[in-house]
């Protein structure tokens, strides 16, 4: 039986979440290609350099917040309902959906206002050119902050529907091990609840009243620190769903089974413990924070490599197992026997491969001293276009080729376009991100519309600046083509008639080493949450205390319109 | 719990790698003396920087000679210029001396990064960033604001002229003109 017939209510919800996510992807990708062409100087006719930052804000918010959060909500809804064999609580799940959607519309309207001349709405000019990080004291329209807050709150409500399902399932199945996919969803959501507290306090307690004029000043370092308390865990909120796919679905697509269920649980628990107390590594070069606190965060950050390194092992081992089931032989020649002609598999495998490269550049970012060379250069977007922009985004697109037919009961349309898409994305990202990394080493900054200056010129360390620009432009264009191919396939699949046989189903084979081999303590969420909170208090308690010792809004800054 | 032998080896190697990274960084800060930007610059009122009434070197930003081997450079980073640094007012310092940059902002968050070096700090209103360095070679280095600071962010550059010590005139380098925000 197909998922849509088994769980028609949840399937409808997931379809809604995916449609919003794909809409955000469409607009975000369009903004992205305009930026790539503008800042490389290939074509500058779309926007002025001042309006570039409006597009940059839209690109960041729509892709890194809206696309990810809606897609994850959908994926998690599928994973929980399917692995617990029950529909989600409709009231909670839809409540979360509508809250997130209202938030998205508010934030999007505030951003787009900047492109249409920033009319005055409710006494504030309607614009939000403050980028994804919205560092105070740059001020956006209050609707932007309210919208961002609603997106977060909506995701909390959606998360509550997963917990409710788990409680119901536990009361009916006492003593049974939590199914792996639900375990992963719940661990991820616990991490998300803990880490979003920072941004919620920042926005609700400080930025909303400040942007409305109810309080005069905010402390820029304090709000920035609260942002990064959330700002690094959020990347694990993107990554862990990709890991869920790589652990539970990818082995099946490869023709085999997951290598180890217990290790998968260990990896997710490590993320819950270590994801939040690392945010200071984004503030290595911030004044006002003692070196010792930065060193503690650096140590945590380095240990956070461990779950990703373990994942690399498991994913490769599971793929090898799959290839050998399909007749693969030899040390490396089994790679040929993987189903490279299946777009869902190819996308996930290529995403995993690029994530390995992104992981290595992330280790450079995490290195407290070499970080000085690349902080806020083009290296950084080069890095996160490999992680969120490929490990997450390409996995999301690839697994949609597998999930959407089950959510709609319709066959995947335009299979050949779907198959070309992951490869187009891979080539585009290879060009764009390698050039961005090298441009970063040459000192070219990120987040700028015109990377040339009157006072001096940049020189490439390897290759010329002109050649890097060309690669970024071609890469960015190919990524836009990749997104467009995906959206065409999705649109036609959603609009197709039902009928014919689906070549996919939601059944996940048993792992080689099952949950019975894992210690029960892994399912003890109370314990892990408590340890996670203690680690956060150690990492954040003293620096936050010193920042608010001189008063919670001092040294204070009034809002500065941009 | 069942852990495969290959998995155990991988786990060990991964831990070794992580501990190795931490060790190299600890060595960098203790052995090689790479110090971090920290809270040594203290806090300051952004509004006072804006009006030039801090009672510090930021009221008249420029190069201040402390000794033959140590110069302090006060820089105000603001929308959309470095004072001094931008346009035809480069920061001039001698080679081979210890140069301490004190940087702050009267308005929004900026960046202060000198190309071809690892001098790189955020500039946050209310905080003073303090970074020390020694330039071995004379020449012109680029100065970049690397944090988006408003619609003119891309025009916020500058330069550092590092002069051979024998050619350096040791008077204070003052900035002409007032705040032009």
């Amino acid at each position: 039986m197909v998922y849509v017939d088994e769980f028609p209510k949840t399937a409808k919800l997931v379809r809604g979440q995916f449609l919003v996510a794909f809409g955000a992807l469409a607009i975000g990708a369009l903004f992205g290609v305009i930026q790539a062409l503008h800042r490389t100087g290939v074509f500058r006719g779309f926007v002025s350099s001042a309006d570039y930052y409006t597009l940059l804000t839209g690109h960041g918010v729509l892709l890194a917040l809206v696309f990810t959060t809606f897609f994850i909500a959908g994926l998690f809804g599928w994973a929980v309902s399917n692995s617990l064999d029950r529909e989600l609580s409709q009231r909670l799940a839809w409540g979360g959906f509508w809250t997130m959607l209202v938030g998205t519309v508010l934030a999007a309207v505030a951003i787009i206002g900047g492109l249409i001349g920033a009319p005055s709405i409710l006494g504030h000019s309607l614009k939000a050119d403050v980028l994804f990080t919205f560092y105070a004291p740059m001020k956006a329209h209050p609707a932007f902050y309210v919208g961002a807050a609603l997106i977060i709150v909506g995701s909390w409500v959606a998360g509550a529907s997963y917990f409710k399902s788990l409680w119901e399932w536990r009361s009916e199945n006492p003593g049974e091990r939590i199914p792996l996919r639900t375990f992963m969803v719940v661990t991820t959501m616990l991490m998300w609840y803990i880490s979003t507290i920072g941004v919620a306090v920042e926005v609700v307690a400080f930025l909303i009243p400040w942007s409305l004029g109810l309080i005069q000043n905010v402390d820029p370092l304090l709000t920035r620190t609260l942002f990064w308390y959330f700002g690094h865990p959020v990347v694990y909120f993107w990554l862990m769903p990709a890991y869920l796919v790589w652990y539970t679905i990818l082995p099946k697509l490869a023709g085999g089974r997951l290598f180890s269920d217990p290790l998968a649980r260990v990896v997710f628990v490590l993320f819950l413990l270590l994801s939040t107390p690392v945010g200071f590594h984004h503030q290595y070069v911030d004044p006002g924070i003692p070196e010792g606190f930065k060193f503690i965060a650096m140590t945590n950050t380095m240990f956070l490599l461990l779950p990703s390194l373990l994942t690399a092992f498991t994913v490769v081992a599971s793929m090898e197992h799959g290839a050998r089931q399909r007749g693969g032989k030899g040390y490396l020649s089994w790679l040929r026997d993987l189903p490279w002609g299946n777009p869902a598999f190819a996308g996930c495998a290529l995403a995993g491969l690029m994530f390995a490269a992104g992981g290595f550049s992330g280790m450079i970012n995490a290195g407290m001293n070499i970080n000085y060379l690349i902080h806020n250069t083009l290296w950084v977007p080069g890095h996160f276009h490999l992680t969120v922009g490929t490990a997450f985004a390409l996995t999301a697109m690839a697994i949609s080729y597998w999930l959407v037919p089950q959510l709609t009961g319709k066959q995947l349309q335009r299979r050949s376009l779907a198959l070309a898409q992951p490869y187009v994305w891979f080539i585009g990202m290879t060009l764009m991100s390698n050039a961005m990394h090298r441009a970063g080493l040459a000192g070219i900054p990120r987040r700028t519309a015109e990377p040339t200056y009157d006072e001096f010129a940049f020189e490439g360390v390897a290759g010329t600046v002109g050649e890097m620009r060309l690669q970024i432009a071609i890469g960015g264009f190919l990524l836009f083509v990749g997104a467009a191919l995906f959206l065409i396939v999705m649109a036609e699949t959603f609009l197709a008639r039902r009928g014919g046989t689906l070549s996919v189903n939601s059944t996940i084979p048993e792992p080689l080493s099952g949950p019975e081999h894992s210690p029960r303590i892994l399912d003890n969420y109370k314990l892990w949450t408590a340890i996670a909170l203690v680690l956060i208090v150690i990492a954040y308690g003293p620096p936050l205390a010193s920042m608010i010792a001189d008063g919670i809004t001092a040294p204070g800054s009034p809002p500065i319109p941009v | 719990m069942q852990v495969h032998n290959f998995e155990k080896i991988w786990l060990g190697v991964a831990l070794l790698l992580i501990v190795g990274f931490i060790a190299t960084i600890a060595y960098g800060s203790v052995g090689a003396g790479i110090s971090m930007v920290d809270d040594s610059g203290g806090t300051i009122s952004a509004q006072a920087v804006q009006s030039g009434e801090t009672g510090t070197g930021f009221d008249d930003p420029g190069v201040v000679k402390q000794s033959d081997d140590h110069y302090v450079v006060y820089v105000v980073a603001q929308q959309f210029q470095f004072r001094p640094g931008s346009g035809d007012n480069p920061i001039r310092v001698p080679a081979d001396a210890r140069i301490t940059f004190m940087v702050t902002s009267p308005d929004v968050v900026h960046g202060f990064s000198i190309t071809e070096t690892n001098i790189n700090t955020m500039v946050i209103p209310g905080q003073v960033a303090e970074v020390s360095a020694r330039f071995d070679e004379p020449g012109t280095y680029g100065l970049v604001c690397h944090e988006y600071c408003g619609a003119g962010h891309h025009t916020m550059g500058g330069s550092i002229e590092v002069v051979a010590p024998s050619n350096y005139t040791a008077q204070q380098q003052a900035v002409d003109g007032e705040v032009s925000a």
Side-chain angles (χ1 to χ4, degrees), chain A residues 3-162:
Chain A
Y3 178 83
V4 61
D5 299 321
E6 219 172 335
F7 308 104
K9 290 178 183 167
T10 305
K12 186 178 177 198
L13 172 75
V14 176
R15 288 201 300 272
Q17 283 157 331
F18 278 13
L19 284 175
V20 179
F22 299 159
L25 176 67
I27 305 170
L30 178 66
F31 286 1
V33 72
I34 294 174
Q35 286 165 54
L37 297 177
H38 184 92
R39 88 162 274 173
T40 54
V42 171
F43 183 77
R44 304 175 68 92
F46 292 110
V47 286
S48 68
S49 283
D51 283 340
Y52 173 90
Y53 303 105
T54 308
L55 295 191
L56 189 52
T57 307
H59 181 71
V61 170
L62 285 171
L63 292 183
L65 200 56
V66 178
F67 166 62
T68 52
T69 310
F70 274 93
F71 187 86
I72 292 165
L75 178 72
F76 281 6
W78 166 80
V80 169
S81 58
N82 191 246
S83 65
L84 296 181
D85 196 19
R86 60 180 56 239
E87 295 267 20
L88 286 186
S89 158
Q90 294 297 300
R91 204 188 291 173
L92 279 174
W94 280 103
F97 173 81
W98 287 112
T99 311
M100 275 162 48
L101 191 59
V102 170
T104 300
V105 170
L106 280 177
V109 165
I111 295 167
I112 304 292
L115 287 179
I116 54 165
S120 181
I121 306 277
L122 300 171
H124 301 268
S125 61
L126 187 68
K127 60 194 296 199
D129 307 345
V130 291
L131 308 194
F132 172 68
T133 42
F134 49 91
Y135 293 139
M138 271 195 301
K139 183 181 129 3
H141 191 275
F144 175 80
Y145 302 112
V146 173
L150 286 177
I151 296 175
I152 303 283
V153 171
S155 74
W156 292 348
V157 177
S161 70
Y162 315 141

Side-chain angles (χ1 to χ4, degrees), chain A residues 241-261:
Chain A
Y243 281 11
L244 183 149
V245 169
W246 296 353
Y247 273 101
T248 63
I249 311 175
L250 183 61
K252 169 193 161 112
L253 295 177
R257 300 196 272 159
L258 171 62
F259 197 66
S260 166
D261 170 299

Side-chain angles (χ1 to χ4, degrees), chain A residues 49-50 53 129-131 133 135-138 217 219-221 224 259-260 262-263 266 284-291 294-295 298-299 302-303 305-306 309-310 312-314 363 366-369 371-377 442-443 445-450 452-453 455-456 458-459 512-513 517-519 522 550 555-558 560-562, chain B residues 1-4 6-7 10-11 14-15 17-19 21-22 24-29 34-40 43-47 50 79 85-88 106-109 111 113 115-131 140-159:
Chain A
S49 283
Y53 303 105
D129 307 345
V130 291
L131 308 194
T133 42
Y135 293 139
M138 271 195 301
N217 290 319
D219 176 353
L221 181 63
R224 187 178 158 80
F259 197 66
S260 166
L263 252 281
V266 168
Y284 283 155
V285 307
D286 276 20
I289 299 167
E291 192 173 348
K294 293 176 177 171
F295 199 89
M298 188 271 292
T299 317
M302 288 296 179
F303 277 102
L305 289 175
L306 188 63
L309 287 167
L310 288 175
F313 180 92
T314 308
M363 292 180 197
M368 215 164 148
N369 40 16
N371 176 275
Y372 274 53
L373 283 177
I374 45 84
H375 174 83
N376 264 1
T377 66
R446 68 191 285 201
R447 298 181 145 179
T448 172
E450 315 233 0
T452 55
Y453 291 86
E455 289 90 349
F456 66 96
F458 292 105
E459 280 169 46
L512 290 173
S513 171
H517 296 295
S518 73
L522 282 175
D550 56 357
S557 289
I560 307 235
V562 247
Chain B
M1 188 161 124
Q2 198 185 43
V3 182
H4 197 280
F6 282 130
E7 217 159 8
W10 179 266
L11 185 67
L15 279 170
L17 182 76
I18 290 167
V19 173
F21 279 145
I22 296 173
T24 62
I25 292 157
Y27 171 77
S29 58
I34 302 170
S35 65
M36 301 285 116
V37 178
D38 60 12
D39 58 348
S40 60
T43 59
I44 194 166
S45 158
Q47 289 95 317
Q50 180 75 269
Q79 290 174 331
S86 288
D88 48 13
D107 43 41
V108 298
V109 178
S113 158
T115 57
E116 299 170 58
T117 73
N118 64 351
I119 301 169
N120 190 342
T121 181
M122 301 304 302
V123 187
I124 300 173
Q127 306 289 334
V128 177
E130 180 182 353
V131 220
T140 302
Y141 296 77
L143 175 60
V144 178
C145 170
H146 58 54
E147 187 56 80
Y148 165 66
C149 56
H153 164 57
H154 44 267
T155 62
M156 189 166 166
S159 56

Side-chain angles (χ1 to χ4, degrees), chain A residues 134-485:
Chain A
F134 49 91
Y135 293 139
M138 271 195 301
K139 183 181 129 3
H141 191 275
F144 175 80
Y145 302 112
V146 173
L150 286 177
I151 296 175
I152 303 283
V153 171
S155 74
W156 292 348
V157 177
S161 70
Y162 315 141
F163 282 87
K164 187 157 182 278
S165 301
L166 177 61
W167 282 321
E168 288 169 2
W169 177 86
R170 266 196 154 161
S171 63
E172 290 166 24
N173 301 274
E176 270 195 51
R177 300 305 297 264
I178 302 169
L180 182 60
R181 278 175 288 168
T182 299
F183 181 89
M184 289 172 156
V185 168
V186 168
T187 318
T188 308
M189 288 313 296
L190 281 171
M191 188 280 292
W192 181 242
Y193 284 126
I194 294 174
S195 68
T196 44
I197 295 168
V199 73
V201 170
E202 180 197 8
V203 171
V204 175
F206 296 111
L207 298 186
I208 292 176
W210 170 82
S211 68
L212 287 167
L214 303 174
I215 56 173
Q216 293 310 308
N217 290 319
V218 292
D219 176 353
L221 181 63
L222 176 64
T223 48
R224 187 178 158 80
T225 302
L226 289 170
F227 179 84
W228 284 118
Y229 171 99
F230 144 90
H232 200 78
V234 70
V235 313
Y236 291 98
F237 183 63
W238 302 326
L239 201 57
M240 287 160 80
Y243 281 11
L244 183 149
V245 169
W246 296 353
Y247 273 101
T248 63
I249 311 175
L250 183 61
K252 169 193 161 112
L253 295 177
R257 300 196 272 159
L258 171 62
F259 197 66
S260 166
D261 170 299
L263 252 281
R265 286 176 205 251
V266 168
V267 162
F268 272 67
V269 167
L270 283 173
F271 278 125
L272 170 61
L273 296 183
L274 294 173
S275 287
T276 314
V278 299
F280 278 120
H281 78 241
H282 288 258
Q283 297 179 277
Y284 283 155
V285 307
D286 276 20
I289 299 167
E291 192 173 348
F293 300 141
K294 293 176 177 171
F295 199 89
I296 291 172
M298 188 271 292
T299 317
N300 279 331
T301 308
M302 288 296 179
F303 277 102
L304 196 47
L305 289 175
L306 188 63
S308 285
L309 287 167
L310 288 175
T311 302
F313 180 92
T314 308
V315 171
V316 174
S318 304
M319 287 204 297
E320 181 180 346
H321 172 75
R324 295 203 188 282
Q325 299 305 302
R326 302 163 62 95
K329 297 268 186 296
Y331 277 118
L332 287 174
S333 43
W334 55 266
L335 283 165
R336 279 200 305 262
D337 293 288
L338 289 166
W340 295 106
N342 173 351
F345 172 83
C348 290
L350 293 174
L353 188 63
M354 296 221 97
F355 182 61
F360 282 111
S361 65
M363 292 180 197
I364 306 289
N365 301 342
M368 215 164 148
N369 40 16
I370 30 182
N371 176 275
Y372 274 53
L373 283 177
I374 45 84
H375 174 83
N376 264 1
T377 66
L378 255 186
W379 171 286
V380 178
H383 160 74
F384 67 66
H385 278 88
L386 290 178
T387 54
V388 58
T390 302
F392 173 80
L394 184 55
T395 299
M397 292 189 274
I399 215 61
S400 298
Y401 298 137
W402 183 81
L403 267 176
V404 169
Q406 303 179 50
L407 295 168
T408 55
K410 298 167 180 177
Q411 286 177 321
L412 187 69
Q413 306 293 306
R414 299 276 199 151
R415 246 191 103 83
S416 52
L417 291 191
L419 181 57
Q421 190 268 337
Y423 296 96
V424 171
W425 193 272
F426 184 82
I427 296 166
M429 196 55 88
T430 304
L431 293 173
M432 188 174 91
S433 84
N434 102 71
M436 280 180 160
H437 278 99
R438 287 189 295 121
L441 292 177
I444 299 177
R446 68 191 285 201
R447 298 181 145 179
T448 172
E450 315 233 0
T452 55
Y453 291 86
D454 293 338
E455 289 90 349
F456 66 96
F458 292 105
E459 280 169 46
V461 179
T464 68
V465 171
E467 161 262 327
M468 291 175 205
R469 285 203 188 123
L470 193 61
Q471 279 202 47
I472 293 173
I474 297 173
F477 183 74
L478 285 177
L479 289 168
F480 177 69
V481 172
L485 290 176

